[in-house]
Amino acid sequence: MVFLIPNSRYYFTGINVFMMTFPILLAFSRLRIRQRPWLGKLASLTFGIYLCHFFFVFVTYDIFDIKGVAPIVRLLLMAATSIVASGALTWLMRQWRPTRCLVA
């Protein structure tokens, strides 16, 4: 079984990820932000980003497997690269009519 292999990258699906993201979700849900056009466009991409970000997390895990880089730096690089790549892919899919329904 893949989930029992030590040091496996599949630990991204564990309870630790939930415990880190849930308080952030609660904090951001309390924020009151004025409506802006660019923010609305970004919000319309979030479902597509959610659907494809996991692929990019695994890819960036391998890309940023660099000796001597601090884990926090590696994690921030992975997060930034994954969100930008997922957003770009989702935006491209929304521009093409056959894939628009998949990310809308």
Side-chain angles (χ1 to χ4, degrees), residues 4-98:
L4 298 178
I5 299 171
N7 298 324
S8 173
R9 64 176 135 180
Y10 294 98
Y11 284 99
F12 287 116
T13 59
I15 189 72
N16 57 341
V17 174
F18 171 76
M19 292 176 67
M20 288 186 299
T21 55
F22 187 67
I24 293 171
L25 173 70
L26 289 179
F28 276 97
S29 67
R30 302 284 184 222
L31 292 178
R32 299 292 171 233
I33 301 172
R34 290 186 332 197
Q35 289 185 343
R36 295 186 175 107
W38 66 270
L39 197 55
K41 291 176 185 175
L42 178 65
S44 71
L45 298 176
T46 56
F47 183 64
I49 292 171
Y50 165 74
L51 290 176
C52 71
H53 86 281
F54 212 72
F55 169 76
F56 290 108
V57 168
F58 286 134
V59 171
T60 58
Y61 180 87
D62 292 333
I63 289 173
F64 295 115
D65 189 16
I66 304 168
K67 300 286 186 210
V69 175
I72 188 68
V73 173
R74 184 177 177 199
L75 182 64
L76 291 173
L77 286 171
M78 287 173 55
T81 305
S82 296
I83 194 72
V84 168
S86 298
L89 178 63
T90 303
W91 182 81
L92 285 171
M93 288 179 74
R94 294 221 36 203
Q95 303 306 309
W96 194 36
R97 185 176 299 276

